[in-house]
Amino acid sequence: MKTTMQFIFFVFCTLNSFCQTDPISTNGIAIGSFDPVSYFTTGHAVKGTDSYQTKINNISYLFSSAANQKLFEDNPTKYIPQYEGYCALAVSYGKKISIDPETFKIIDGKLYLFYNKKVGLRKVNSLDTWNKSEARLLKKADELWPKVSTVKYVAGEDM
C-alpha cells in the first residue's frame, strides 16, 4: 500500500509542476532530491540520485552525476541554496515556507528557491513577486534571515 501511495504522489508531482517540497525532508534530503549543482551547470532543476550524494551538517544533497558531486564537494557554499532552501520571498516577510524546487533564480552566483503552487483557483508564484522588487526584497531577506533562521519550520504550513 505504501508503494502505491508513493507512486500516486510521484505521478501527481510529475504531472503538476506546482508540487511543493520541504527544503529539507524528514529523512534529511535537501531540496526534494534535486541536484544543487545542476541549477548552475544546466540552468534548470535536475533530479539527483541516491548513487551520488554528500552529507553536510546531517543534510544529504543528491546529484545527477559524479562530476556534479565533485563540484559540490570542492565548494559546497557555492551551491547550497540561500536561506537553507526556504522560499526567498517568504524569508523577506519573516517566514519559512516550502518551495517548488523547479522555481528558482541565481543572483550573483547564489541559488534562491521559491514557492509556486496552485492555491484555490489561482496560481501563486512567489518568484513573480520577487522579480518586481528584487533589490529591496533581497536586502530585506538578508537582514531578516538571522532571526527567521531560528523560527521553527512546520512542514506543510504554506501561504
Side-chain angles (χ1 to χ4, degrees):
M1 180 67 176
K2 184 177 181 183
T3 304
T4 302
M5 292 305 290
Q6 288 172 331
F7 176 75
I8 291 169
F9 179 75
F10 173 77
V11 169
F12 175 77
C13 287
T14 302
L15 295 174
N16 181 357
S17 64
F18 307 114
C19 191
Q20 294 300 115
T21 190
D22 292 329
I24 302 165
S25 69
T26 54
N27 59 350
I29 305 289
I31 55 177
S33 301
F34 281 84
D35 176 345
V37 176
S38 71
Y39 294 97
F40 296 88
T41 59
T42 69
H44 61 276
V46 175
K47 276 286 198 177
T49 173
D50 290 336
S51 300
Y52 308 108
Q53 64 178 290
T54 297
K55 191 175 259 193
I56 295 179
N57 298 327
N58 293 321
I59 300 168
S60 294
Y61 294 88
L62 277 55
F63 306 94
S64 57
S65 68
N68 281 9
Q69 181 178 6
K70 171 117 175 63
L71 284 170
F72 182 88
E73 289 171 348
D74 288 346
N75 189 2
T77 57
K78 176 178 179 176
Y79 300 105
I80 292 175
Q82 299 302 293
Y83 317 126
E84 297 176 7
Y86 291 100
C87 172
L89 180 66
V91 171
S92 76
Y93 293 127
K95 299 179 182 255
K96 286 181 177 177
I97 65 169
S98 63
I99 45 99
D100 173 356
E102 296 182 80
T103 305
F104 70 96
K105 187 168 189 178
I106 296 174
I107 305 165
D108 296 328
K110 296 179 181 179
L111 175 61
Y112 296 84
L113 300 169
F114 296 89
Y115 181 93
N116 187 358
K117 183 178 179 181
K118 190 169 184 179
V119 179
L121 296 175
R122 66 186 195 110
K123 180 180 125 185
V124 177
N125 184 341
S126 66
L127 180 55
D128 293 340
T129 302
W130 179 270
N131 285 333
K132 292 174 185 171
S133 300
E134 181 175 283
R136 179 181 62 79
L137 293 168
L138 180 59
K139 183 176 188 247
K140 190 165 184 186
D142 285 346
E143 289 170 359
L144 289 175
W145 178 243
K147 182 178 178 184
V148 174
S149 68
T150 65
V151 173
K152 182 172 172 50
Y153 172 71
V154 179
E157 256 188 27
D158 289 329
M159 304 179 93

